[in-house]
Amino acid sequence: MSPPPELVSKNRFLGFLIWQTFTSTTIYFLTKLFLLAFFTTPKFSPSQLCFSLLKFFTFTFSNLLFSSSLSILSSPQSLPYASPLQLAAGLVRFAFVSSPAEPEFRRRALVSARFVVFVVVAGISGALSVVCLCGFDGFQLIARLGFRGFVFGVLYGLFDVYKKRWVLEFPIIQRPLFYSFKMGLPLAIKRALKLSNVAYLFLSVLQVFLPEQFKSGGTMGQFITEQIILYIGSFSVVFCWELSHHLHQVLHTKRFLFAPPKGSAAAETNPSEPLLAALEESIPDSLPQYLAYLDLCMVCENNVDTWRRAAFFEETGETYKRVVAACLRPLEQLASNLSEGLEGCFVDKAHQLSNQLQSPTDSQLDSRHCEPLNNFQKYAWCARAVASLTAWSHEEDRFGVAQLTGSNAAVTSTLISSLLAVEAFMGKKTSLQPQHLMGPAAIKWNTPNTGRRDVVTTKKQGGPQHAKAYAMADVLRTSVYSIVSTFHDEMFTSNKAGLFEKDWVIKSKPLFGTYELLVQKLHHFLDFRAN
């Protein structure tokens, strides 16, 4: 029996801590035995042995602390956060106006608080790790090493937050765990060298402005030895953290099979229930839900688990409707959010020139649209899964549930409506083109000014949000093409009979655009003229 979705995250978190402990322990002993042994004099007294064990357990605890904070901070998508100015304004408003904070502000403030906690924990972990790993004799140097380690950890935490390395990036190709870990080792070593060099140079400059008790003393030889040990220790700590990052990505983004064992009683009766439960009952945008969408996409696209895909087309059609609804729900949310954000961007022709003369920073469109596209990975899985499932229904749907339930029309309408919304966000015109103005070879003649209102955006095409929108439009366009290519003959026949719109486009008002615009866009796909 497949475990519940919430247990999947717990098991992966525990497995991550176990593997992280193993790697940090290995790095600790290798550093002590093969590197620092050349610069320190080992002592084998009972007190020294106890002190060494204490340092080892403290080092292990500090790395577990860092790994735990990384797991708490991590998310499958980029989360919106409040800037320092927004936090200050919210605190002032709460202190003097006594008005309750808005839910959106509380959510963003909570994310910012998680960032602060992660940076502070990284500083504490760096202080403990450097003190334990460098192994200087005498307690008078602990304060100096702890301070350097704390600054070192804070810099690393700020780098992680700035680069958004806490966002889980699911690989395009799923590989075995050992192979994925081996592939990440060279990159972890290279990044550890760069970060340790930058941090060491920064701390060397900072040391000039520190009081005398935080500066290195002794002879020149002792100073050089101390700096070498400090550099080796800082590199080892960063290498541990980089491996923790890599292990966290590999273990948490590996595909999980939400299915009972093949051949069991559950596999014969209801093999789709664990997957549907993970899709419908998991916390929105949580790791179990992302893993469920990844599993669904791979089942729909590949021929590995054909028995699971065949179970979607059971006779009643209830399972197929639930699977399609689970895929269309995020796409409908994407189209709805983009449509709401673009509502304020409809202007008359007379005002287009003044709007175009504004700089991209003057427009408020980016802030409206940053959030919907943060779920790009889930949207792409949904579009690919539902398009592949619709295409496979042409051969595997023995009972005709895809057509009888009206899912084909809902799928094509949602995909095209989402595509139009994304194209409008990218700055493309999504207006209805009169058929009598379409020339041969799909040449669009200039249209006269009919007083129509268009969407005007001032987005930079080189921005990160435009890149996500371009990728999302490519996924949606490919998904529609896969359906049209599979059902081309049926669509062509129904088009001759005048039933094309009835079979493939829903009559209700779409989330973006109009019914006529969706029909025209689908005709373009059928004629292979969509771009």
Side-chain angles (χ1 to χ4, degrees):
M1 187 64 183
S2 179
E6 59 274 7
L7 192 59
V8 176
S9 299
K10 294 180 181 179
N11 291 340
R12 296 204 167 186
F13 173 68
L14 293 176
F16 164 63
L17 292 183
I18 292 173
W19 281 104
Q20 186 275 332
T21 303
F22 175 76
T23 55
S24 62
T25 301
T26 304
I27 293 174
Y28 179 85
F29 283 110
L30 288 177
T31 304
K32 285 288 188 179
L33 293 177
F34 296 100
L35 294 177
L36 300 183
F38 293 99
F39 302 98
T40 58
T41 304
K43 300 179 181 179
F44 299 100
S45 62
S47 60
Q48 188 67 24
L49 180 61
C50 295
F51 186 63
S52 299
L53 290 176
L54 178 62
K55 289 192 295 184
F56 166 71
F57 287 119
T58 305
F59 178 83
T60 304
F61 169 76
S62 66
N63 280 273
L64 288 175
L65 188 65
F66 175 83
S67 301
S68 301
S69 64
L70 176 63
S71 296
I72 295 174
L73 179 64
S74 66
S75 172
Q77 62 163 332
S78 179
L79 300 175
Y81 57 91
S83 63
L85 291 178
Q86 292 174 339
L87 289 175
L91 292 176
V92 170
R93 184 170 58 251
F94 177 77
F96 294 98
V97 184
S98 299
S99 60
E102 298 177 356
E104 178 66 19
F105 174 76
R106 290 200 300 266
R107 185 163 63 95
R108 291 175 178 267
L110 183 60
V111 175
S112 300
R114 288 165 58 183
F115 289 158
V116 174
V117 170
F118 173 75
V119 172
V120 173
V121 170
I124 296 174
S125 177
L128 295 176
S129 300
V130 170
V131 169
C132 295
L133 196 58
C134 291
F136 291 109
D137 294 330
F139 292 98
Q140 68 275 12
L141 300 178
I142 292 180
R144 174 154 48 88
L145 294 177
F147 175 78
R148 292 173 66 93
F150 181 81
V151 176
F152 177 75
V154 168
L155 291 176
Y156 186 87
L158 292 174
F159 173 79
D160 278 2
V161 171
Y162 176 74
K163 290 293 186 179
K164 294 185 178 181
R165 300 181 63 199
W166 44 273
V167 180
L168 294 174
E169 298 180 357
F170 290 80
I172 299 176
I173 301 175
Q174 293 282 322
R175 297 184 176 93
L177 290 178
F178 178 75
Y179 182 80
S180 299
F181 177 74
K182 183 181 68 174
M183 292 295 293
L185 277 177
L187 180 61
I189 295 175
K190 184 186 299 184
R191 186 170 292 168
L193 282 171
K194 291 182 179 179
L195 293 177
S196 59
N197 289 338
V198 172
Y200 180 80
L201 291 177
F202 177 82
L203 288 172
S204 299
V205 175
L206 181 63
Q207 193 175 7
V208 178
F209 304 96
L210 294 178
E212 291 297 329
Q213 57 268 26
F214 290 99
K215 296 182 179 180
S216 301
T219 63
M220 181 58 67
Q222 293 175 345
F223 174 78
I224 295 176
T225 302
E226 181 179 325
Q227 296 305 312
I228 292 175
I229 295 176
L230 257 177
Y231 180 79
I232 294 174
S234 61
F235 168 77
S236 300
V237 172
V238 178
F239 188 42
C240 286
W241 290 348
E242 286 297 317
L243 287 183
S244 296
H245 269 289
H246 184 60
L247 281 171
H248 189 268
Q249 289 279 347
V250 169
L251 294 175
H252 284 77
T253 59
K254 180 177 173 56
R255 179 192 177 188
F256 183 83
L257 300 179
F258 290 90
K262 191 175 181 180
S264 61
E268 298 294 334
T269 56
N270 197 358
S272 304
E273 190 58 33
L275 178 60
L276 291 172
L279 290 172
E280 299 172 349
E281 300 174 8
S282 299
I283 300 175
D285 299 330
S286 62
L287 178 61
Q289 190 183 68
Y290 267 69
L291 292 174
Y293 277 113
L294 172 62
D295 186 36
L296 175 63
C297 183
M298 298 191 73
V299 170
C300 294
E301 287 188 337
N302 303 329
N303 284 327
V304 178
D305 299 323
T306 54
W307 63 278
R308 293 181 60 190
R309 189 171 63 231
F312 295 158
F313 302 103
E314 49 91 16
E315 188 173 0
T316 63
E318 187 65 26
T319 302
Y320 187 82
K321 290 172 60 177
R322 292 174 64 184
V323 171
V324 171
C327 291
L328 295 185
R329 197 177 302 116
L331 296 176
E332 292 171 353
Q333 182 182 5
L334 171 65
S336 178
N337 291 338
L338 291 177
S339 178
E340 292 176 2
L342 289 167
E343 280 181 357
C345 300
F346 289 91
V347 294
D348 292 325
K349 290 279 187 178
H351 299 91
Q352 287 186 11
L353 181 59
S354 61
N355 202 8
Q356 290 174 356
L357 291 177
Q358 291 180 348
S359 64
T361 56
D362 295 335
S363 176
Q364 299 298 323
L365 194 59
D366 284 352
S367 61
R368 288 179 177 180
H369 291 77
C370 284
E371 210 168 323
L373 292 174
N374 286 338
N375 274 335
F376 163 76
Q377 184 63 83
K378 187 173 73 172
Y379 296 145
W381 285 334
C382 291
R384 290 164 50 189
V386 75
S388 299
L389 193 61
T390 304
W392 281 113
S393 68
H394 187 266
E395 299 178 359
E396 300 180 358
D397 187 9
R398 298 177 300 169
F399 304 103
V401 297
Q403 184 177 2
L404 294 177
T405 57
S407 298
N408 288 345
V411 168
T412 54
S413 300
T414 303
L415 289 176
I416 295 176
S417 182
S418 302
L419 176 61
L420 291 172
V422 174
E423 287 179 346
F425 168 71
M426 296 168 61
K428 298 181 63 176
K429 291 184 178 181
T430 58
S431 57
L432 187 65
Q433 185 71 28
Q435 295 294 330
H436 66 278
L437 295 174
M438 295 292 294
I443 298 177
K444 296 181 181 179
W445 307 108
N446 286 331
T447 58
N449 187 0
T450 59
R452 177 175 47 85
R453 302 161 86 89
D454 290 325
V455 177
V456 178
T457 61
T458 56
K459 292 201 65 60
K460 279 186 176 180
Q461 293 194 357
Q465 295 303 319
H466 185 274
K468 290 182 180 180
Y470 186 89
M472 191 68 237
D474 186 60
V475 171
L476 292 170
R477 199 176 296 114
T478 304
S479 301
V480 178
Y481 268 127
S482 65
I483 297 175
V484 172
S485 300
T486 304
F487 290 93
H488 184 271
D489 295 338
E490 287 81 356
M491 287 183 174
F492 191 75
T493 303
S494 62
N495 189 29
K496 282 187 174 181
L499 302 175
F500 182 69
E501 294 85 356
K502 180 182 178 181
D503 293 339
W504 294 99
V505 181
I506 56 176
K507 290 287 186 179
S508 59
K509 186 180 184 305
L511 295 172
F512 188 88
T514 61
Y515 171 78
E516 293 77 12
L517 183 58
L518 264 66
V519 172
Q520 187 179 81
K521 192 75 170 178
L522 187 56
H523 273 287
H524 290 174
F525 277 101
L526 185 61
D527 299 336
F528 299 101
R529 285 195 273 114
N531 51 28

